[in-house]
Amino acid sequence: MHYKNNHRPKTPKGLLLSAIGVLLFLHLPFAIVMLYAFTTDETTFTFPPPGLTTKWFGVAMGRPDLWAALGLSLKVASIATVFALLLGTLAAAAVSRSKFFGRESISFLLVLPIALPGIVTGIALRSMMGLVNIPFSFWTIVIGHATFCVVVVYNNAIARFRRMGDSQIAASMDLGADGFQTFRYIVLPNLLTALVAGGMLAFALSFDEVIVTTFTAGQQSTLPIWIFSQLTRPRDRPVTNVVAFLVVTITAVPILLAHHLSQRDNL
Amino acid sequence: MNNHENTAIEFNQVSRHFGEVKAVDSVDLTIQDGEFFTLLGPSGSGKTTCLRMIAGFDHPTSGQIKLHGRDVTNLPAYDREVNTVFQDYALFPHMSVGENIGYGLMIRKVPKSERNRQVRAMLELVQLPGLEHRKPSQLSGGQRQRVALARALINKPKVLLLDEPLGALDLKLRQQMQVELKSIQHEVGITFIFVTHDQEEALTMSDRIAVFDMGRIVQTGTPSELYERPRTSFVASFVGTSNILSGETAQKITGSAQNISVRPEKIRLVAPETETADSFCAADGQVTAVVYAGMITRYTVALAHGQTMIVAEQNLDDVSKSVATSRGKQVRLIWPCSANNVLQDPE
């Protein structure tokens, strides 16, 4: 139903209030974390904060373990995303562009990892790695993250392939373009926004993943794991809030961009 | 048949089987250069598969396809001097109208200025001047249709294939595009091969028509040949409407038990027991239904021996009264015996 602006029925008060309530419930904790990044309290938090300071940013700057964890997380997320883009796109192309026996089952198996609880994936990967004797390293973390990152990219790519249909590719060939030219001028531009959106989502998922990481990381700490370990140490507690502040900023940007891109495409 | 100069497309015993299904079965077909040729048939009759094999999207299981004398049976789509207007137009949504039309030239590395010149000329031809910067999503269905046409024609193909291109348009626009397609074909002077399941469209547009049924061509001919002298009862009832008389009824009317078809508009309704000349055939019956359709009135008449016939009478006068009262009346149907068409149905 489309209403002209001035004829749009008024939102009932109750609905409006519950919408505000849900939004507060979802976002108030973020606001509090953000606020306590600036508190002058050292060990226990009081409300309202006794004073505001930016000194914790300085303290955070001076912590090499924090920067190592952040660096590791960024590296893992980037590489897992690259893997996901390659494998996810190829799998989507195979499933959508050809017909073969068991296609639907394969599609289901590809999506399954994201439906499985992370803890199952984690245990499975850990016992698998133990079985074939792969030592825990940077790469085992990447493999663990790739399991769900591939799915995200695959889902985005296959939806786009489906919407594209076969006739654009046929039309391109008909107009004289060979397979490579068709991929470059028709398939890739059509796919691009889906891949960017899928890639950003994959990056964000990998960046804050805890459960699978605890099972597949050795001695190394990714940022979320580092934060978790900090919570048990009362000293310098606001530093974790500073980090949380940074993490929200780093992950929010790609998610917002991805959302914006997929929205624009649906117009 | 060896006169390749005038032959655009030649099918030599072409078959396309999908497992057990014979989508196209031993088809022989010759299409002359410059013809507006229509492949007509119900869905699943093999007409679209034939078109796809000419375009190169599909390849025959056996047989040979020649394009202007050259064997193209197994060439890929991008190596053939054939272009297609797709049923869903298949415009590239991420490109402007100008980029869509110029795509074939871009692939062949035609310089940009020359490309732009030709794109503008094409837009003139399809009557969409100045729209090169629009996106396909900003166009109406009829405009997209024209862009698809321009995108195919700019490559100067030897043959243009049209896969039910008017199916998505509303009736008025469709009729307008039918006329326009004909005039564009006249202007560019190349062979058009048109696929449709709409017999009326086929009759109005084509120089010649091949009627497909179950993977085979059942009859090829000009629109008037197909309409006046359908070879089988399938053609007789698929192309237009026919009264098909068989067995005892045919025997009584024509003196021969061969199946015949008679077009409803050849028949006239007269009072029972009206005397007729020897050159006329006659049958008696009772009117069971009357449908007033503006230009004509359609009567359904149950004959004495069980068969029914349809009669279409042109509404020369105001027929409101007779339409209201003729249901249930006894009538005699008369038509010139020369309008009887003997069918050669395979047993």
Side-chain angles (χ1 to χ4, degrees):
Chain A
M1 279 279 200
H2 289 279
Y3 294 99
K4 289 255 165 68
N5 272 340
N6 40 1
H7 292 300
R8 189 195 297 254
K10 277 203 176 122
T11 313
K13 274 226 173 69
L15 258 178
L16 195 69
L17 280 177
S18 47
I20 292 171
V22 170
L23 277 176
L24 281 178
F25 172 72
L26 288 174
H27 292 284
L28 202 59
F30 288 129
I32 288 176
V33 165
M34 300 265 188
L35 178 66
Y36 280 113
F38 299 94
T39 184
T40 46
D41 278 334
E42 295 220 352
T43 47
T44 48
F45 296 144
T46 49
F47 192 86
L52 293 178
T53 171
T54 51
K55 81 165 183 180
W56 300 113
F57 284 82
V59 174
M61 285 294 228
R63 293 278 295 270
D65 53 335
L66 158 61
W67 297 109
L70 181 62
L72 180 68
S73 274
L74 288 174
K75 239 164 59 185
V76 167
S78 313
I79 292 177
T81 303
V82 170
F83 272 125
L85 283 174
L86 281 174
L87 297 178
T89 311
L90 290 176
V95 169
S96 69
R97 303 216 34 79
S98 51
K99 291 191 177 112
F100 52 85
F101 177 73
R103 189 174 77 151
E104 291 308 310
S105 326
I106 286 188
S107 185
F108 175 71
L109 284 178
L110 276 164
V111 187
L112 195 61
I114 211 161
L116 281 179
I119 193 133
V120 176
T121 313
I123 293 171
L125 280 169
R126 192 181 182 95
S127 35
M128 178 75 193
M129 283 160 186
L131 212 63
V132 293
N133 244 328
I134 303 175
F136 293 117
S137 70
F138 169 73
W139 291 107
T140 53
I141 308 177
V142 170
I143 290 171
H145 287 198
T147 55
F148 51 83
C149 289
V150 168
V151 182
V152 174
V153 174
Y154 170 83
N155 265 342
N156 270 284
I158 200 157
R160 187 60 56 88
F161 273 125
R162 289 223 172 101
R163 209 173 65 184
M164 209 177 132
D166 289 338
S167 67
Q168 278 190 54
I169 291 169
S172 169
M173 303 286 248
D174 185 66
L175 293 165
D178 58 28
F180 176 74
Q181 288 168 319
T182 299
F183 180 77
R184 177 172 159 205
Y185 294 120
I186 306 301
V187 179
L188 198 58
N190 262 300
L191 216 54
L192 202 62
T193 49
L195 291 187
V196 171
M200 283 177 175
L201 205 56
F203 185 93
L205 278 178
S206 161
F207 189 76
D208 67 0
E209 215 289 332
V210 178
I211 302 171
V212 175
T213 317
T214 43
F215 284 91
T216 53
Q219 300 306 310
Q220 292 165 299
S221 292
T222 59
L223 191 67
I225 291 183
W226 180 87
I227 294 175
F228 202 65
S229 68
Q230 289 303 299
L231 291 180
T232 50
R233 293 183 215 168
R235 220 175 64 80
D236 288 351
R237 262 182 103 174
V239 170
T240 50
N241 291 334
V242 169
V243 175
F245 184 90
L246 292 177
V247 169
V248 168
T249 322
I250 291 176
T251 46
V253 168
I255 285 181
L256 284 175
L257 268 178
H259 181 72
H260 177 73
L261 277 176
S262 50
Q263 283 292 304
R264 197 189 61 184
D265 260 34
N266 288 335
L267 286 181
Chain B
M1 276 296 175
N2 287 326
N3 191 356
H4 288 152
E5 269 180 33
N6 297 326
T7 305
I9 295 284
E10 202 179 327
F11 271 47
N12 233 321
Q13 287 291 306
V14 171
S15 295
R16 177 68 175 101
H17 297 175
F18 298 97
E20 291 289 290
V21 183
K22 294 175 178 173
V24 173
D25 191 19
S26 315
V27 164
D28 282 312
L29 177 64
T30 309
I31 298 172
Q32 301 301 322
D33 193 17
E35 261 190 313
F36 196 116
F37 194 95
T38 297
L39 313 180
L40 173 68
S43 59
S45 60
K47 58 189 195 302
T48 301
T49 308
C50 278
L51 193 84
R52 290 174 56 82
M53 290 192 290
I54 300 174
F57 303 136
D58 206 338
H59 300 280
T61 316
S62 64
Q64 190 189 40
I65 299 173
K66 283 183 176 174
L67 169 65
H68 281 251
R70 176 182 173 217
D71 186 349
V72 297
T73 313
N74 291 307
L75 282 187
Y78 53 83
D79 271 343
R80 302 181 183 210
E81 291 165 284
V82 167
N83 287 114
T84 310
V85 176
F86 291 84
Q87 189 167 15
D88 62 354
Y89 315 141
L91 298 180
F92 307 130
H94 58 290
M95 294 184 183
S96 69
V97 166
E99 287 168 327
N100 263 284
I101 298 175
Y103 186 77
L105 299 183
M106 189 265 289
I107 292 294
R108 276 187 282 132
K109 303 200 164 52
V110 174
K112 195 152 191 193
S113 57
E114 172 60 16
R115 214 152 78 202
N116 289 340
R117 196 189 62 72
Q118 290 195 32
V119 166
R120 277 195 299 275
M122 271 299 150
L123 282 168
E124 292 283 338
L125 178 73
V126 298
Q127 301 180 15
L128 293 176
L131 290 194
E132 55 260 57
H133 300 299
R134 297 266 186 95
K135 279 284 171 75
S137 57
Q138 297 168 301
L139 302 181
S140 72
Q143 289 173 323
R144 284 179 209 187
Q145 164 76 71
R146 288 155 199 258
V147 173
L149 189 62
R151 185 178 69 175
L153 284 175
I154 200 169
N155 306 292
K156 302 195 170 63
K158 285 183 171 158
V159 172
L160 183 75
L161 307 177
L162 302 112
D163 183 11
E164 307 221 13
L166 308 180
L169 305 179
D170 63 56
L171 185 65
K172 271 269 183 293
L173 198 53
R174 199 147 98 197
Q175 287 168 344
Q176 187 191 333
M177 280 307 291
Q178 288 174 1
V179 175
E180 214 165 301
L181 269 180
K182 278 295 275 185
S183 82
I184 287 174
Q185 194 234 354
H186 196 70
E187 202 160 323
V188 296
I190 62 170
T191 314
F192 276 34
I193 302 179
F194 190 88
V195 162
T196 183
H197 62 265
D198 182 336
Q199 49 91 21
E200 204 181 315
E201 198 165 272
L203 290 177
T204 40
M205 300 183 73
S206 321
D207 295 323
R208 284 198 305 146
I209 301 170
V211 183
F212 279 74
D213 183 33
M214 300 196 291
R216 287 170 170 273
I217 294 180
V218 282
Q219 190 173 359
T220 308
T222 63
S224 59
E225 279 167 9
L226 286 182
Y227 190 81
E228 301 296 341
R229 295 289 165 216
R231 191 181 295 152
T232 66
S233 49
F234 173 79
V235 179
S237 43
F238 190 73
V239 180
T241 313
S242 283
N243 292 299
I244 293 173
L245 303 175
S246 58
E248 205 188 326
T249 315
Q251 180 80 49
K252 275 209 171 133
I253 295 172
T254 65
S256 148
Q258 275 181 302
N259 293 356
I260 60 159
S261 67
V262 189
R263 295 294 184 186
E265 71 277 10
K266 314 275 187 199
I267 306 171
R268 287 177 50 215
L269 290 178
V270 293
E273 284 157 50
T274 306
E275 290 298 318
T276 52
D278 280 351
S279 61
F280 276 77
C281 292
D284 294 316
Q286 186 182 26
V287 176
T288 56
V290 186
V291 176
Y292 176 77
M295 203 189 297
I296 56 160
T297 302
R298 216 173 283 121
Y299 300 87
T300 309
V301 179
L303 299 190
H305 2 279
Q307 274 187 290
T308 59
M309 288 183 82
I310 310 247
V311 179
E313 283 211 323
Q314 212 181 335
N315 296 328
L316 298 174
D317 302 314
D318 182 349
V319 294
S320 340
K321 280 200 184 117
S322 63
V323 164
T325 57
S326 54
R327 193 155 176 264
K329 269 191 179 166
Q330 286 293 331
V331 289
R332 170 164 281 188
L333 315 183
I334 59 166
W335 65 92
C337 291
S338 58
N340 288 340
N341 171 60
V342 178
L343 299 170
Q344 296 150 18
D345 283 316
E347 287 307 316

